[in-house]
Amino acid sequence: WRSVCTSYWDHKDAFVVCRQLGYPATAAYAFYYAYFGEHPRPHISRVLCYGNESKLLDCGYTNTTSCSPANTAGVRCQGETIPDPPCTESTVRLTGGQDEHEGRVEVCSNGVWG
């Protein structure tokens, strides 16, 4: 199970997360430094999206165990509310926000949300 570290995190990465969730990619905002709460083990770091990828894990990234929980990445998407997808490998969800449109980014790995 994995979450995302804010190293290299930017709006293009947020675009991809929102697109993967089914929101319009053009209305995406990146948040930094555990804005939506810390995750105990951020594992995906140095995410480098161009903004046109279909899924977050289609972007370049590094697996890490050295990211501080205070550097957990977040996203806010805009559009009609979309329910969380089922946890299948590499799907993403937003959690810890005020509603389904925002939160820290978690990636499903081995059938478990992280």
Side-chain angles (χ1 to χ4, degrees):
W1 51 281
R2 302 181 279 187
S3 67
V4 180
C5 190
T6 58
S7 298
Y8 299 3
W9 189 248
D10 66 17
H11 67 282
K12 291 182 277 188
D13 308 320
F15 289 162
V16 174
V17 168
C18 291
R19 178 181 296 116
Q20 183 173 350
L21 288 170
Y23 292 102
T26 55
Y29 302 92
F31 288 83
Y32 308 88
Y33 307 115
Y35 184 88
F36 295 109
E38 293 184 358
H39 189 278
R41 301 185 327 178
H43 277 102
I44 298 171
S45 184
R46 298 182 179 167
V47 176
L48 183 59
C49 297
Y50 293 101
N52 59 352
E53 295 88 349
S54 298
K55 298 188 298 185
L56 184 65
L57 295 187
D58 289 343
C59 304
Y61 67 92
T62 303
N63 286 313
T64 184
T65 56
S66 63
C67 182
S68 166
N71 290 327
T72 303
V75 168
R76 178 179 295 142
C77 305
Q78 292 185 337
E80 288 188 35
T81 299
I82 296 173
D84 282 342
C87 184
T88 58
E89 198 64 25
S90 302
T91 55
V92 297
R93 74 174 180 179
L94 303 177
T95 187
Q98 292 183 355
D99 59 35
E100 295 85 1
H101 296 96
E102 64 181 24
R104 66 182 170 271
V105 181
E106 295 187 347
V107 181
C108 180
S109 181
N110 296 321
V112 179
W113 284 112

